[in-house]
Amino acid sequence: MKKLTTLLAATALASMMATAAWSKTLVYCSEASPEGFDPGLYTGGQTFDATSRTVYNRLVEFKHGGTEVEPGLAESWEVSADGKEYTFKLRKGVKFQTTDFFTPTRELNADDVIFSFERQYKADNAWNKYVAGASWEYFAGMGFPDLIEKIEKVDDLTVKFVLKRPEAPFIANLGMDFASILSKEYADKLAADGKMELLNQQPLGTGPFTFVAYQTDAAIRYKANPDYWAGKQPVDDLVFAITTDAAVRAQKLKAGECHIMAYPNAADVAELKKDENLTVLEQEGLNVAYLAYNTLVPPFDKVEVRKALNMAVNRQAIVDAVFQGAATVAKNPIPPTMWSYNNAVEDDKYDPEAAKKMLEEAGAAGLKMKIWAMPVARPYMLNARRAAELMQADLAKIGVEAEIVSYEWAEYLKLSSAKDRDGAAILGWTGDNGDPDNFLDTLLGCDAVGGNNRAQWCNKEFDDLMTKAKETADIAERTKLYEEAQVIFKREAPWNTLDHSLVVVPMSKKVSGFKMDPLGIHRFDGVDIAE
């Protein structure tokens, strides 16, 4: 069956590339299929690579390879003295992509911006539930529904966001994937035709690449957008060759079947570095991997149980086995490269005897639980199954019977966010904007319960600190608040913090212009390949 699946994927890829035989084509071996093509609906990095960073733009963008914000679809903006009003001046003459399925009749205007955001929080908006189970997880988890008072159209090229309170990271947040700008004209046509679901299947934006076709679980094809406001891309065609097995991705790269690959196995990196036809880029990741306990479900609602389980797991052994030295054990929910990291926090020590005693005292001796293991490689966790097996063995030493479960990636993300989820789930995060709020509040705030907050942990003391930190623009004050929040997090232990990893991107030496991104995304604008 595996050989048949591989053959079908190869056939689909060859078919997609056939029409691009005489053009300059860049092939990227991606690690997983996108969950869909509307970035507002999802949180997965593989989905953002395939949607928001190829097809779409945002009002502001992050400079390629960094976290500094620069103008995007908004050429400029102004902030009121009280920090509650943000007025954006849109670029003139920005065109939406022309595709086989839609031909725009107008350029970008304020209506598109308002549509792109209002659909995510207005329950009476026709697009709020156009996909079954739509929760707008990112938008909601960051507290945007309670933050935005209104969005006003000042004129065709001017949009004003009126907030209920000051929000220090607001501009940076608008550079994130969920804030991508869609075409209202295209959405209106789909609604009129009774085909609203196609917004999530046939994307159309203002970005550097135009969507052409998707062969499910095999390949995605794009072509360079000839009308891109920042200029046509160096390559004519871009192909995502979806290849879930890291070893197969490495084989394809070495064979020249793809030019860039995602997330190699740690064991393969040394061999890839020896290949004279390849370049291997490395960078400290702005990331964290963790095991999230469901704090709403007994006995994980007891901090003593969570602490005991943390002490039972040898995280250094996980780092050694999964990353072979290309990662460090995590103690905080933010990476040490991020400002406000609290190095004074005392980590949970590996102590099986103490863990067993604490578990017994908490009345949880003989606990049976599930460990959820991600089915795909992510930068922060290259092999969740192996990590889960090591945890399973460690927990057995203190009398805990752990069953390892997994699901298809999109299903895993959906099910792991449920408030009644059983057991503990391996997950992780790569920062989206370089701000601590993007980790601490997005993953652990009360607004994110039932979404990005997979621990379902709502702690008022912690949440109040998050609110205070967002309401002040003073970096020194924000730093103190985030440092204090990390102390509370460690005391309450909603997660077992696992690792911060080194991120590796191998590519053909024919590739130029590709930059590693601290935000963990793969961008192909500005990337070229030698003939």
Side-chain angles (χ1 to χ4, degrees), residues 303-472:
V303 65
E304 297 84 3
V305 171
R306 303 194 296 266
K307 279 286 190 181
L309 296 175
N310 284 0
M311 290 192 297
V313 173
N314 186 342
R315 291 171 293 152
Q316 186 61 56
I318 293 174
V319 166
D320 292 342
V322 175
F323 294 93
Q324 299 190 15
T328 57
V329 171
K331 68 176 179 179
N332 288 324
I334 64 174
T337 53
M338 176 167 276
W339 62 272
S340 84
Y341 181 84
N342 190 345
N343 200 39
V345 167
E346 185 174 345
D347 202 3
D348 296 317
K349 291 181 173 59
Y350 173 53
D351 190 339
E353 288 302 317
K356 185 175 183 179
K357 182 180 179 182
M358 183 179 289
L359 202 63
E360 291 172 348
E361 292 175 349
L367 171 66
K368 293 183 179 181
M369 62 179 287
K370 290 182 179 179
I371 297 177
W372 290 43
M374 301 183 301
V376 298
R378 305 306 302 151
Y380 43 75
M381 181 49 68
L382 297 178
N383 190 333
R385 167 66 64 167
R386 179 63 178 138
E389 289 169 351
L390 292 169
M391 289 186 217
Q392 182 184 51
D394 284 341
L395 293 174
K397 296 173 185 175
I398 66 166
V400 173
E401 183 181 332
E403 175 191 358
I404 300 173
V405 299
S406 190
Y407 301 89
E408 184 273 328
W409 185 221
E411 191 73 0
Y412 185 97
L413 289 170
K414 178 182 177 181
L415 294 175
S416 64
S417 67
K419 292 182 181 180
D420 60 352
R421 185 203 75 231
D422 53 353
I426 298 175
L427 286 153
W429 194 257
T430 298
D432 290 298
N433 60 15
D435 195 292
D437 175 80
N438 182 242
F439 281 79
L440 297 172
D441 193 41
T442 299
L443 301 179
L444 294 158
C446 292
D447 285 331
V449 169
N452 281 330
N453 187 340
R454 258 59 177 202
Q456 317 301 344
W457 180 68
C458 180
N459 179 283
K460 187 177 186 305
E461 184 182 7
F462 181 94
D463 219 53
D464 286 346
L465 291 172
M466 294 300 99
T467 300
K468 290 177 182 178
K470 287 194 286 189
E471 290 181 347
T472 177

Side-chain angles (χ1 to χ4, degrees), residues 143-214:
F144 267 44
D146 295 325
L147 173 67
I148 297 175
E149 178 72 40
K150 58 183 176 180
I151 308 175
E152 298 178 341
K153 177 179 180 179
V154 179
D155 58 46
D156 277 352
L157 294 177
T158 311
V159 182
K160 180 188 290 186
F161 286 73
V162 180
L163 309 183
K164 297 177 182 178
R165 61 178 184 273
E167 181 86 351
F170 186 66
I171 290 293
N173 289 344
L174 292 184
M176 291 163 58
D177 303 85
F178 76 92
S180 296
I181 304 303
L182 282 64
S183 165
K184 184 178 185 299
E185 183 188 22
Y186 175 47
D188 287 345
K189 179 65 164 60
L190 292 177
D193 292 345
K195 299 178 179 179
M196 296 174 73
E197 72 281 356
L198 292 184
L199 192 70
N200 195 34
Q201 300 170 23
Q202 297 180 333
L204 183 147
T206 60
F209 294 96
T210 301
F211 174 83
V212 176
Y214 174 42

Side-chain angles (χ1 to χ4, degrees), residues 224-342:
N225 177 6
D227 300 318
Y228 186 43
W229 57 270
K232 181 189 173 297
Q233 298 307 299
V235 297
D236 300 302
D237 295 273
L238 172 65
V239 176
F240 278 37
I242 300 166
T243 312
T244 57
D245 189 312
V248 176
R249 290 198 296 275
Q251 291 169 8
K252 286 185 175 182
L253 181 67
K254 289 172 71 67
E257 295 176 26
C258 60
H259 305 113
I260 303 173
M261 71 164 285
Y263 315 129
N265 285 325
D268 293 336
V269 173
E271 189 66 26
L272 291 169
K273 286 181 176 180
K274 293 177 183 178
D275 192 319
E276 61 182 14
N277 296 313
L278 303 179
T279 298
V280 178
L281 303 182
E282 296 178 317
Q283 178 176 277
E284 289 290 335
L286 195 71
N287 62 35
V288 64
Y290 58 87
L291 181 73
Y293 303 110
N294 187 345
T295 61
L296 294 179
V297 176
F300 307 106
D301 56 340
K302 292 184 178 181
V303 65
E304 297 84 3
V305 171
R306 303 194 296 266
K307 279 286 190 181
L309 296 175
N310 284 0
M311 290 192 297
V313 173
N314 186 342
R315 291 171 293 152
Q316 186 61 56
I318 293 174
V319 166
D320 292 342
V322 175
F323 294 93
Q324 299 190 15
T328 57
V329 171
K331 68 176 179 179
N332 288 324
I334 64 174
T337 53
M338 176 167 276
W339 62 272
S340 84
Y341 181 84
N342 190 345

Side-chain angles (χ1 to χ4, degrees), residues 89-103:
K89 189 68 176 178
L90 304 181
R91 291 182 186 276
K92 185 177 181 180
V94 174
K95 296 181 179 180
F96 282 98
Q97 297 148 358
T98 297
T99 68
D100 291 341
F101 47 85
F102 185 73
T103 300

Side-chain angles (χ1 to χ4, degrees), residues 458-501:
C458 180
N459 179 283
K460 187 177 186 305
E461 184 182 7
F462 181 94
D463 219 53
D464 286 346
L465 291 172
M466 294 300 99
T467 300
K468 290 177 182 178
K470 287 194 286 189
E471 290 181 347
T472 177
D474 185 276
I475 294 296
E477 179 61 23
R478 293 186 75 202
T479 295
K480 291 179 182 178
L481 294 168
Y482 289 137
E483 287 177 343
E484 187 178 344
Q486 289 166 74
V487 172
I488 297 169
F489 165 86
K490 205 64 184 180
R491 183 190 75 208
E492 298 298 317
W495 298 350
N496 187 351
T497 47
L498 300 177
D499 69 78
H500 306 294
S501 74

Side-chain angles (χ1 to χ4, degrees), residues 58-112:
R58 289 138 294 282
L59 292 173
V60 299
E61 302 283 2
F62 296 109
K63 283 190 176 180
H64 212 343
T67 59
E68 183 181 349
V69 173
E70 63 181 2
L73 294 178
E75 61 182 11
S76 63
W77 56 88
E78 296 179 354
V79 185
S80 63
D82 63 3
K84 293 182 180 180
E85 294 186 0
Y86 289 74
T87 304
F88 296 88
K89 189 68 176 178
L90 304 181
R91 291 182 186 276
K92 185 177 181 180
V94 174
K95 296 181 179 180
F96 282 98
Q97 297 148 358
T98 297
T99 68
D100 291 341
F101 47 85
F102 185 73
T103 300
T105 65
R106 65 166 177 79
E107 297 171 345
L108 171 80
N109 67 31
D111 294 330
D112 302 305

